Amino acid sequence: MIPSGDKYCGHASPGLRFVHEGSEPCLYEQLFTLWRHSKDVRIAVAFLSVRMLNILMAQLRNTGTDVSVRFLTGAMNGFNEPRVLEKLRAHFGKENVRLYCPGDKAETFNSANLHVKAYLFKSENNDWTVVLGSSNMTGAALLGAENENLPGNAEWNLLVESAEGSNNAVLTEVLERFEYYWREASVMLDDETLETYRRVYQEGQRKREAVEQRELLDQARKLLKPEPRIIQREALERLETLRGMGMRRAAIIGATGIGKTIIS
């Protein structure tokens, strides 16, 4: 268990701790401390970053931590890069990595939106500690500010642990829900699933790039749309007056460079 006290978070109740982006040590350090003292780790997050995964794997190699680990993630918004899933599978084994996919959606992952952020740890004494909140497995969420010019995310999380049985009902419900997602609402990250996800991810990337290109073109058109100068506005106002009088034709006479093309 992580020791309680102001060093770890602002206010602590038995078995409950509030962990935010300003907590010291940062959330990642607290999670890794729990990991090192656990025999069973279960993680369910919407998003994972390559950077955060590299940091985790490097620390695991250095500490020689060997525990049972299960990762559950998803295809929401096409955030997770295929190489992240490849790294997860290579390190923890395909049987220990699953993609959230309720119903029959494994062909497209449509509406397969896992938005959970949960970290579950079972200690050698069989006590459970669960961290629930807003933090995905990304550097900005777990490590906080990388430097003063690149602030981390504002994150709120609640650390729940066994405390004289007071939180057992909550912990049990969280564990049961994780198991339901794992057994009934996800697919193992085997070769076929990984290739399907890669195809869906690449199609999504192309669509997003096309949308971004259209938005850039629209912005460029707005920026390049000419605004008449004062003398041009006066000419346009006189033309409008003539149209109001029923006249269908008019001549604009002006010096070179006055902007007759714009007026027309």
Side-chain angles (χ1 to χ4, degrees):
M1 300 295 179
I2 297 177
S4 61
D6 292 341
K7 180 180 179 182
Y8 288 85
C9 44
H11 299 281
S13 299
L16 293 175
R17 301 198 190 110
F18 174 47
V19 186
H20 52 84
E21 73 280 358
S23 297
E24 294 184 2
C26 66
L27 178 57
Y28 173 74
E29 292 182 23
Q30 297 191 46
L31 292 176
F32 194 75
T33 298
L34 285 166
W35 189 310
R36 289 176 55 209
H37 294 90
S38 296
K39 64 180 182 180
D40 188 346
V41 176
R42 307 174 193 180
I43 295 175
V45 289
F47 308 143
L48 301 98
S49 70
V50 173
R51 171 180 172 240
M52 196 66 254
L53 200 55
N54 286 340
I55 292 172
L56 172 63
M57 290 179 176
Q59 282 199 281
L60 289 176
R61 285 192 295 269
N62 292 336
T63 58
T65 304
D66 184 20
V67 300
S68 170
V69 180
R70 286 191 280 168
F71 265 95
L72 176 66
T73 187
M76 185 175 179
N77 296 336
F79 180 91
N80 288 328
E81 298 179 57
R83 59 176 175 155
V84 170
L85 302 182
E86 291 172 351
K87 281 178 174 289
L88 275 178
R89 194 175 74 158
H91 191 90
F92 298 106
K94 65 181 181 181
E95 68 278 4
N96 295 316
V97 182
R98 295 181 74 89
L99 285 182
Y100 179 73
C101 191
D104 187 20
K105 299 187 176 73
E107 290 298 318
T108 61
F109 292 102
N110 286 339
S111 303
N113 293 333
L114 179 77
H115 205 247
V116 175
K117 293 93 176 175
Y119 304 83
L120 292 65
F121 303 93
K122 186 178 184 180
S123 72
E124 294 291 343
N125 297 325
N126 295 321
D127 293 323
W128 281 96
T129 300
V130 172
V131 178
L132 303 169
S134 64
S135 294
N136 278 299
M137 200 165 182
T138 64
L142 297 186
L143 297 172
E146 187 175 7
N147 57 60
E148 61 182 9
N149 298 319
L150 184 63
N153 296 343
E155 302 283 352
W156 283 16
N157 296 277
L158 191 64
L159 188 151
V160 185
E161 58 188 7
S162 300
E164 300 177 357
S166 60
N167 297 319
N168 285 351
V170 172
L171 292 170
T172 298
E173 190 170 357
V174 171
L175 291 165
E176 288 177 349
R177 198 61 184 171
F178 179 93
E179 288 302 317
Y180 169 76
Y181 288 157
W182 188 265
R183 293 192 307 267
E184 307 294 337
S186 61
V187 290
M188 184 173 67
L189 192 62
D190 55 20
D191 292 343
E192 182 180 357
T193 300
L194 181 57
E195 288 309 308
T196 299
Y197 179 80
R198 193 192 312 278
R199 173 178 55 77
V200 172
Y201 176 85
Q202 291 171 348
E203 290 174 357
Q205 286 290 98
R206 286 192 290 269
K207 290 178 181 178
R208 282 189 289 274
E209 289 171 1
V211 170
E212 290 174 0
Q213 287 294 327
R214 287 197 297 270
E215 291 176 348
L216 288 173
L217 286 173
D218 289 342
Q219 292 174 6
R221 290 191 186 102
K222 292 176 182 178
L223 291 173
L224 294 174
K225 183 179 179 181
E227 291 293 332
R229 298 192 297 272
I230 294 176
I231 194 168
Q232 293 169 329
R233 287 200 295 271
E234 290 178 356
L236 290 169
E237 290 169 0
R238 292 184 184 183
L239 287 171
E240 190 65 28
T241 299
L242 291 174
R243 289 195 186 97
M245 296 169 62
M247 296 183 182
R248 304 290 299 276
R249 296 180 181 180
I252 299 174
I253 302 172
T256 300
I258 199 174
K260 296 185 289 297
T261 302
I262 297 298
I263 295 172
S264 63

